[in-house]
Amino acid sequence: MTEIYGTDKATFEDAKDKLLAKLNALITVMASGYDPKLSYACDHHDKVPIQLNGASIQFASCKIIEEGLGEGVTYQYQIAYSLRVHTAYQGQYFDANKTMRLMNSIDNYLHEERDLENDYDVWDIDDFALGQDFKESATKGGSMTITIRRFQEHIKP
Amino acid sequence: MSIRNDILDSLCTNLEGIKQDNGYNTTVRKVERYPIPMDNPSELMPHIFVSEGQEEKINEDETNIGFRLSVALNLFMKGQSVSGLCSDIVGFIDDVKKMIYGPISLGDYCLAVNWIDSDQDVSEIQAMARAGIAIEIIYYAPKASF
């Protein structure tokens, strides 16, 4: 079954897949020689269980800016994904420094790997927050927002 | 198959490992998931009765459900003197803490075991001490396992 109408414009899904691919690449990069290291990544927050230390991403919002007119209308999509870093289960010791370091690693890696190919790029990383209690996964950790940009043309009405 | 039963059985097996030979203060003689009579022979003391409390669904995804299971550990021991029992029961409580923060492993489906609280009392007449320990077990089970 086709998941999205307009398969060549599955922008939100494609951006999410590209971000997840980068997190999985970071898991490989951090596999040895890093403490703490990222061990797990998934593409939604409602995941049972989430392996620690893990990261989950989920579409949060999208800002669309009209860029210009050609044969169609070109829009700049600024797609925000919520990224959560999970370092402990509820009720257990929360390591603030470990969580901070993991968020720092993810931030650095995504800045280095901004180009997500096929006209997608990491546009902004912000809204860092520590000490989060994630009910959906019964975990604790930190959160941040990753904004991915893509220019997308739609047919003129 | 019952993941919840497996986890509780594993908890009992771990509690049975509380023995002075293993570096604990107390040597547990009996651990059961049902109430053990109070007139239990002295040779079966100290003992632990593991009782299950409320189970709360805490999260869910396409294939799995996460639960928080409240469990009470009822510790009983006999002694020669009230003063001795007062310190022995504290040692017994500490043994359970030591086991939980070992950390304890209750199988792949168990995600966390958390200490909640404890209380204790000593009976002068029966020369018996009791402690109640509340813990919570966070675990998950595949929907297909029910």
Side-chain angles (χ1 to χ4, degrees):
Chain A
M1 293 286 255
T2 306
E3 292 177 326
I4 294 168
Y5 180 81
T7 49
D8 59 331
K9 296 184 183 67
T11 314
F12 303 156
E13 183 80 6
D14 289 349
K16 182 199 72 178
D17 290 346
K18 287 174 179 296
L19 180 55
L20 184 65
K22 286 296 177 191
L23 290 173
N24 281 319
L26 179 58
I27 290 170
T28 305
V29 168
M30 298 186 85
S32 64
Y34 290 90
D35 184 19
K37 63 185 176 187
L38 187 68
S39 305
Y40 179 81
C42 68
D43 69 353
H44 53 291
H45 296 326
D46 288 23
K47 177 68 181 166
V48 187
I50 282 190
Q51 184 187 318
L52 307 180
N53 301 311
S56 62
I57 54 169
Q58 188 164 294
F59 173 76
S61 63
C62 182
K63 184 179 174 186
I64 298 176
I65 301 164
E66 191 174 313
E67 287 289 331
L69 293 167
E71 289 185 7
V73 185
T74 300
Y75 297 94
Q76 181 187 157
Y77 281 67
Q78 294 179 2
I79 315 155
Y81 291 86
S82 149
L83 188 153
R84 293 178 176 177
V85 175
H86 309 264
T87 54
Y89 286 106
Q90 283 176 359
Q92 297 198 305
Y93 169 62
F94 171 69
D95 190 329
N97 283 323
K98 181 170 77 174
T99 309
M100 177 194 72
R101 288 169 188 147
L102 276 170
M103 291 167 77
N104 207 160
S105 293
I106 292 169
D107 179 45
N108 288 340
Y109 186 75
L110 291 178
H111 273 292
E112 277 184 17
E113 299 283 327
R114 295 185 85 101
D115 183 8
L116 302 177
E117 300 178 346
N118 304 113
D119 299 326
Y120 290 87
D121 63 357
V122 174
W123 178 244
D124 196 20
I125 304 172
D126 59 4
D127 295 337
F128 291 83
L130 193 68
Q132 304 290 300
D133 207 338
F134 304 125
K135 192 179 173 199
E136 296 94 328
S137 50
T139 55
K140 300 194 288 188
S143 64
M144 54 211 271
T145 301
I146 315 291
T147 302
I148 294 174
R149 183 180 64 164
R150 195 205 186 198
F151 292 94
Q152 174 80 57
E153 189 177 69
H154 285 284
I155 297 166
K156 195 160 42 179
Chain B
M1 177 192 178
S2 166
I3 288 168
R4 174 170 156 170
N5 268 333
D6 291 347
I7 287 172
L8 288 164
D9 288 342
S10 179
L11 174 64
C12 290
T13 303
N14 275 272
L15 290 167
E16 284 168 353
I18 294 178
K19 298 193 184 306
Q20 288 174 329
D21 288 349
N22 296 334
Y24 291 94
N25 300 305
T26 318
T27 294
V28 171
R29 300 266 165 70
K30 197 169 180 63
V31 180
E32 296 292 354
R33 288 176 56 188
Y34 52 81
I36 302 167
M38 295 297 289
D39 57 357
N40 197 13
S42 292
E43 56 266 28
L44 294 181
M45 289 276 194
H47 75 239
I48 301 175
F49 159 41
V50 178
S51 66
E52 299 162 54
Q54 184 188 22
E55 185 180 59
E56 177 192 3
K57 187 185 105 170
I58 52 174
N59 51 10
E60 178 179 355
D61 69 8
E62 314 93 291
T63 53
N64 298 319
I65 300 178
F67 297 98
R68 178 181 289 112
L69 174 64
S70 299
V71 175
L73 306 178
N74 304 281
L75 282 52
F76 296 93
M77 69 192 320
K78 287 181 177 175
Q80 301 300 320
S81 67
V82 171
S83 60
L85 274 172
C86 284
S87 60
D88 287 351
I89 195 69
V90 171
F92 200 178
I93 292 169
D94 284 349
D95 287 338
V96 177
K97 284 179 186 160
K98 180 177 179 175
M99 186 205 64
I100 286 175
Y101 292 107
I104 191 171
S105 171
L106 301 181
D108 292 341
Y109 293 103
C110 180
L111 303 174
V113 180
N114 298 321
W115 180 280
I116 305 299
D117 57 34
S118 70
D119 64 6
Q120 67 193 72
D121 56 73
V122 175
S123 164
E124 251 178 86
I125 300 164
Q126 294 176 303
M128 180 183 278
R130 180 209 69 86
I133 297 172
I135 62 170
E136 67 174 15
I137 296 172
I138 296 177
Y139 77 98
Y140 76 97
K143 291 174 184 174
S145 71
F146 301 124

